[in-house]
């Protein structure tokens, strides 16, 4: 992103500067980070001036919020500033680009910042925003899709318990399934491939049973159905392990491992059959 550089560098009194009204991050800066930066500035000085823009009354920070807070904590009266005239849109784009390059935002914070640019402020579409921040259109659109997920799932993303690729698999699922599935993804550290296999197993099972399962099925039927689905997912993961053994384990050790996994596979098949028999019997008793 390039703007004609007509800026000047001046020492500006701290009290004349205010934080940006378009701050792209909602969360407060971590005090530990500010203290560490303040310690570095105390020892080495401020190596790079902050970027500000003039307003009717004073100045607004465009880039350098952390540096400003650190210098404030050191009780500086003046701070070196690069002063440049720019629009609200330009200021927001610079802030957004700086935070993305520094990787200071989690995926949900990025998504919220993208939503404000595209929808709240109406400054441009996904294509224009992607060009401004140096990312692909897919990157931007995927972040925006994360906002459709329930708050409980978005919290897991913000806390880095599931990554964007895993979360994207949830966006194509019904909201009633998302909260249930995310717990399994976190607890079992499922790969994207395993999540897709689980979704296929769920879709297959729902298709098989939709034709004869009555609406509002009783609890025993639903529990048996969940048990069968859980076992199908386990079966898919066993198959993944068998593939992994064939591709990573030496031949002399492979046979014993594959034999053990195949034995487990047969037991799981037997357990699936048992769950289906129980479910069918429960349904017949209700007719």
């Amino acid at each position: 992103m390039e703007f004609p550089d007509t800026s000047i560098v001046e020492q500006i009194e701290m009290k004349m500067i205010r934080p940006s009204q378009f701050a792209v991050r909602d969360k407060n800066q971590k005090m530990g980070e500010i203290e560490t930066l303040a310690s570095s500035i105390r020892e080495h000085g401020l190596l790079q001036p902050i970027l500000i823009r003039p307003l009717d009354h004073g100045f607004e920070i465009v880039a350098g919020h952390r540096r400003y807070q650190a210098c404030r904590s050191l009780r500086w009266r003046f701070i070196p500033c690069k002063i440049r005239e720019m629009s609200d849109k330009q200021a927001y784009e610079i802030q957004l680009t700086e935070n993305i390059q520094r990787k200071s935002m989690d995926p949900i914070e990025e998504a919220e910042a993208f939503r404000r640019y595209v929808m709240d402020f109406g400054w441009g579409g996904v294509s224009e925003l992607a060009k401004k921040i140096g990312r692909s259109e897919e990157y931007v659109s995927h972040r925006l899709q994360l906002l459709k997920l329930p708050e409980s799932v978005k919290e897991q993303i913000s806390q880095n318990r599931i990554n964007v690729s895993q979360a994207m698999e949830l966006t194509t699922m019904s909201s009633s399934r998302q909260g249930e599935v995310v717990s399994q993804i976190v607890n079992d550290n499922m790969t994207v491939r395993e999540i897709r296999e689980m979704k296929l197993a769920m879709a297959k099972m729902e298709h098989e049973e939709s034709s004869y399962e009555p609406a509002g099925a009783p609890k025993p039927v639903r529990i048996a159905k969940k048990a069968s689905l859980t076992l199908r997912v386990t079966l898919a993961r066993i198959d993944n392990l068998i593939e992994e053994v064939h591709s990573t384990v030496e031949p002399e050790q492979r046979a014993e491992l594959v034999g053990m996994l195949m034995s487990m596979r047969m037991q799981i098949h037997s357990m699936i059959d048992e769950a289906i028999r129980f479910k069918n019997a429960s349904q017949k008793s209700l007719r």
Side-chain angles (χ1 to χ4, degrees):
M1 186 166 47
E2 296 183 0
F3 302 107
D5 192 356
T6 57
S7 57
I8 60 174
V9 177
E10 297 281 351
Q11 295 280 343
I12 302 295
E13 197 168 2
M14 297 281 283
K15 68 180 182 181
M16 295 178 63
I17 302 170
R18 73 182 191 198
S20 171
Q21 60 179 318
F22 297 108
V24 298
R25 300 189 69 191
D26 290 331
K27 297 178 182 177
N28 294 326
Q29 300 285 355
K30 294 178 181 177
M31 287 307 299
E33 295 178 0
I34 300 299
E35 290 170 0
T36 299
L37 182 57
S39 177
S40 175
I41 292 173
R42 185 186 295 110
E43 183 175 354
H44 303 291
L46 185 62
L47 302 181
Q48 182 181 8
I50 67 172
L51 177 63
I52 62 176
R53 62 175 182 150
L55 298 178
D56 290 340
H57 303 285
F59 300 89
E60 181 183 79
I61 301 172
V62 176
H65 285 81
R66 290 169 67 252
R67 281 169 279 158
Y68 172 80
Q69 292 293 343
C71 291
R72 239 180 108 182
S73 72
L74 295 173
R75 301 185 181 278
W76 283 20
R77 184 180 171 189
F78 293 89
I79 184 171
C81 297
K82 191 172 188 178
I83 308 166
R84 183 190 299 174
E85 292 273 7
M86 66 186 78
S87 66
D88 291 347
K89 179 173 179 285
Q90 290 171 331
Y92 193 89
E93 288 168 357
I94 290 174
Q95 288 183 57
L96 192 51
T97 303
E98 181 191 44
N99 278 279
I100 288 173
Q101 288 176 347
R102 285 176 34 224
K103 298 182 179 180
S104 59
M105 295 189 292
D106 66 52
I108 299 301
E109 286 180 316
E110 287 188 3
E112 291 288 357
F114 295 168
R115 178 187 58 76
R116 287 194 288 272
Y117 185 97
V118 174
M119 300 174 190
D120 294 359
F121 302 140
W123 284 331
V126 169
S127 299
E128 182 178 351
L129 175 58
K131 290 177 183 177
K132 294 292 184 182
I133 64 175
R135 291 290 188 270
S136 68
E137 291 183 30
E138 182 182 53
Y139 182 96
V140 175
S141 63
H142 279 185
R143 291 297 190 275
L144 290 171
Q145 287 181 59
L146 296 179
L147 297 178
K148 299 176 183 177
L149 293 168
E151 289 301 321
S152 59
V153 178
K154 288 192 280 190
E155 185 66 24
Q156 300 282 7
I157 300 169
S158 293
Q159 293 177 3
N160 203 30
R161 291 179 179 167
I162 63 174
N163 60 42
V164 173
S165 297
Q166 291 170 316
M168 285 303 300
E169 294 299 322
L170 297 174
T171 61
T172 57
M173 300 180 69
S174 65
S175 56
S176 59
R177 288 285 192 190
Q178 288 168 343
E180 176 185 335
V181 169
V182 74
S183 298
Q184 190 165 350
I185 294 173
V186 173
N187 294 336
D188 296 343
N189 193 27
M190 296 178 71
T191 64
V192 169
R193 178 178 176 179
E194 289 170 339
I195 297 169
R196 288 175 181 170
E197 288 171 345
M198 178 175 65
K199 288 165 61 179
L200 287 172
M202 292 168 67
K204 181 179 178 182
M205 191 166 185
E206 287 173 357
H207 176 73
E208 289 173 352
E209 299 184 347
S210 61
S211 58
Y212 58 82
E213 182 176 322
K219 194 163 187 177
V221 174
R222 286 187 281 114
I223 294 296
K225 193 177 168 186
K226 282 187 177 181
S228 180
L229 175 59
T230 301
L231 290 167
R232 286 174 188 256
V233 173
T234 303
L235 189 66
R237 302 190 77 176
I238 291 292
D239 288 340
N240 280 345
L241 286 174
I242 292 172
E243 288 185 20
E244 183 179 336
V245 168
H246 279 295
S247 61
T248 62
V249 177
E250 296 298 326
E252 57 271 17
Q253 300 173 316
R254 191 181 300 160
E256 186 177 358
L257 273 173
V258 170
M260 181 267 292
L261 292 170
M262 289 300 292
S263 175
M264 292 175 64
R265 198 178 189 282
M266 290 177 64
Q267 293 177 49
I268 293 168
H269 263 301
S270 176
M271 293 165 70
I272 291 173
D273 291 341
E274 184 179 346
I276 292 173
R277 282 194 297 269
F278 180 89
K279 176 180 63 64
N280 292 340
S282 297
Q283 287 175 327
K284 285 180 182 178
S285 67
L286 296 169
R287 292 172 184 169

